[in-house]
Amino acid sequence: MGSKRKSTVKKNKRLKKLKKTVYEEPEELKRAPHSFVIHRGQIGKSLLQLVKDFRKVMEPFTAASLQVYKKNTIKDFVALAGPMHVSHLCVFTSSDTGVNFRVARLPQGPTMTFKLVNYALSKDVVSSLRKQMVNPKLFSHAPLIVMNNFTGEGLHINLMATMFQNMFPTINVTKVNLNDIKRCVLMNYNSETKLIEFRHYAIKTVPVGLSKGVKKIVQSKVPDLSNFDDIDEFLLKPELLSDSEFEETTSSHVVVPQKLVSRGNIVGTQSSIRLSELGPRLTLQLIKVEEGLMTGDVMFHEFIKKPDEKKEEAKQN
């Protein structure tokens, strides 16, 4: 009896500390969607790293250092979700049939189960790039969510779009500070293959219409002039006269609407939006939608159809 009382006291102390932390959080941050990203069951090093990579995607509104133990149950995370304003639970699991990815709306669902068709870790994605743009400051603000082709017949498609959109903070276009938009998550749904491509990018804004030499000076990148007699030689160097045209198109050019921290981007002038992939890459397929939290009526199943759904499909054919 004594040991049970001690464990209960320790648990209450932890909850009190959490409540104090949440109480000090600004109101606008409390309203933002928060998440737990965890794993269940036996998983290998690769999948464990994927969990960490996905937490980076969800920063700063996620428990980046959350410790997951075998004895933890889903109820444990749900109990902590309230005080910590957690709205979504993301769970990676591995079995003999493959890897699954579950996304649940807390505290009562719904829950979506996806098959993880394939994936690439962040370190593998970044190492394959010629130009890498990884900076801890990128993760100080939530990413912009961009969704494509989540249209068509079926309630499950609308549920997917709503679930993914609600996992990230909404953006007020009239008040947004462009300096805070440093990353974006792109999700594309292929209605023929029924696969979702998930990509994660860093966003960079650079001035256009400048030679590489001038751009280096404007952006405070001090060039090595030791081999030149005059700065004109550096500015007129053939390989620095202009950026390679094939690297970008005019479709990436925008007029800067507000002051940006990055140098060379002047309000009212044109700049180019460039993306650098951060990873991870995910290819997902929706398998099942449950009404509750990891349980309840099955609202959609990719491989098991209800009699009513079979009748409706026969009519359409």
Side-chain angles (χ1 to χ4, degrees):
M1 290 294 290
S3 59
K4 289 184 178 179
R5 287 180 180 177
K6 287 181 180 179
S7 61
T8 304
V9 170
K10 288 182 179 179
K11 185 176 182 180
N12 290 336
K13 285 183 177 179
R14 288 198 300 268
L15 287 175
K16 286 181 180 179
K17 288 182 179 180
L18 287 173
K19 288 179 180 178
K20 286 182 180 179
T21 304
V22 173
Y23 179 77
E24 295 171 357
E25 193 176 39
E27 190 61 35
E28 60 180 10
L29 297 184
K30 290 181 183 180
R31 293 196 299 267
H34 291 59
S35 64
F36 282 154
V37 181
I38 64 173
H39 62 82
R40 306 303 297 151
Q42 295 293 330
I43 63 172
K45 291 183 178 179
S46 180
L47 193 55
L48 184 60
Q49 184 60 48
L50 180 61
V51 172
K52 295 178 181 179
D53 289 347
F54 200 81
R55 286 180 181 176
K56 295 294 291 184
V57 175
M58 304 305 295
E59 285 190 6
F61 300 115
T62 191
S65 302
L66 182 65
Q67 296 295 323
V68 181
Y69 300 101
K70 291 182 180 180
K71 62 182 180 180
N72 292 139
T73 65
I74 295 297
K75 290 183 179 180
D76 294 333
F77 297 105
V78 175
L80 290 175
M84 299 185 71
H85 307 291
V86 174
S87 57
H88 291 82
L89 180 64
C90 303
V91 186
F92 289 88
T93 58
S94 180
S95 65
D96 296 336
T97 58
V99 179
N100 288 337
F101 174 59
R102 284 183 171 184
V103 182
R105 175 74 182 190
L106 298 177
Q108 297 178 336
T111 303
M112 294 189 168
T113 301
F114 297 88
K115 178 182 178 181
L116 192 56
V117 180
N118 55 60
Y119 66 90
L121 300 176
S122 295
K123 63 178 182 179
D124 298 324
V125 172
V126 173
S127 63
S128 66
L129 302 178
R130 183 170 63 90
K131 292 183 178 180
Q132 301 175 4
M133 191 167 62
V134 180
N135 189 323
K137 293 181 180 179
L138 294 173
F139 304 96
S140 60
H141 296 278
L144 173 70
I145 176 72
V146 180
M147 306 186 68
N148 180 56
N149 207 32
F150 281 82
T151 57
E153 296 183 0
L155 178 63
H156 62 287
I157 297 179
N158 293 330
L159 285 173
M160 275 196 298
T162 302
M163 180 73 82
F164 287 131
Q165 286 174 342
N166 290 339
M167 288 173 64
F168 301 91
T170 56
I171 293 178
N172 188 330
V173 294
T174 61
K175 297 181 179 180
V176 66
N177 183 350
L178 296 181
N179 291 303
D180 294 341
I181 302 180
K182 303 178 183 295
R183 295 179 293 134
C184 68
V185 168
L186 305 184
M187 302 188 72
N188 179 70
Y189 177 70
N190 189 320
S191 57
E192 294 183 0
T193 62
K194 298 182 180 180
L195 297 179
I196 302 166
E197 297 294 340
F198 178 102
R199 299 291 185 270
H200 180 216
Y201 295 92
I203 302 174
K204 185 179 181 180
T205 308
V206 295
V208 298
L210 302 177
S211 70
K212 288 185 178 179
V214 173
K215 192 176 293 183
K216 284 184 177 181
I217 296 174
V218 170
Q219 295 179 333
S220 295
K221 297 177 181 178
V222 181
D224 182 8
L225 302 177
S226 60
N227 295 325
F228 302 94
D229 296 328
D230 192 281
I231 193 172
D232 286 346
E233 294 183 24
F234 171 76
L235 295 178
L236 298 177
K237 194 177 180 181
E239 59 266 33
L240 295 179
L241 285 178
S242 62
D243 286 327
S244 302
E245 295 296 332
F246 60 83
E247 289 186 357
E248 61 180 39
T249 62
T250 55
S251 61
S252 67
H253 294 179
V254 296
V255 177
V256 179
Q258 59 181 246
K259 186 177 180 180
L260 299 178
V261 174
S262 52
R263 293 180 179 271
N265 297 294
I266 303 173
V267 177
T269 63
Q270 279 199 339
S271 290
S272 175
I273 303 297
R274 295 183 181 177
L275 301 180
S276 178
E277 193 169 3
L278 297 172
R281 294 178 186 174
L282 306 178
T283 301
L284 305 167
Q285 180 184 15
L286 180 64
I287 300 299
K288 181 172 61 174
V289 180
E290 296 168 285
E291 188 175 8
L293 182 63
M294 309 290 178
T295 186
D297 293 339
V298 177
M299 304 168 64
F300 167 82
H301 201 292
E302 178 62 30
F303 305 114
I304 302 175
K305 295 187 177 181
K306 296 179 181 179
D308 294 342
E309 293 177 342
K310 292 181 179 179
K311 291 180 182 178
E312 188 64 28
E313 188 177 291
K315 288 181 182 179
Q316 293 177 359
N317 295 333

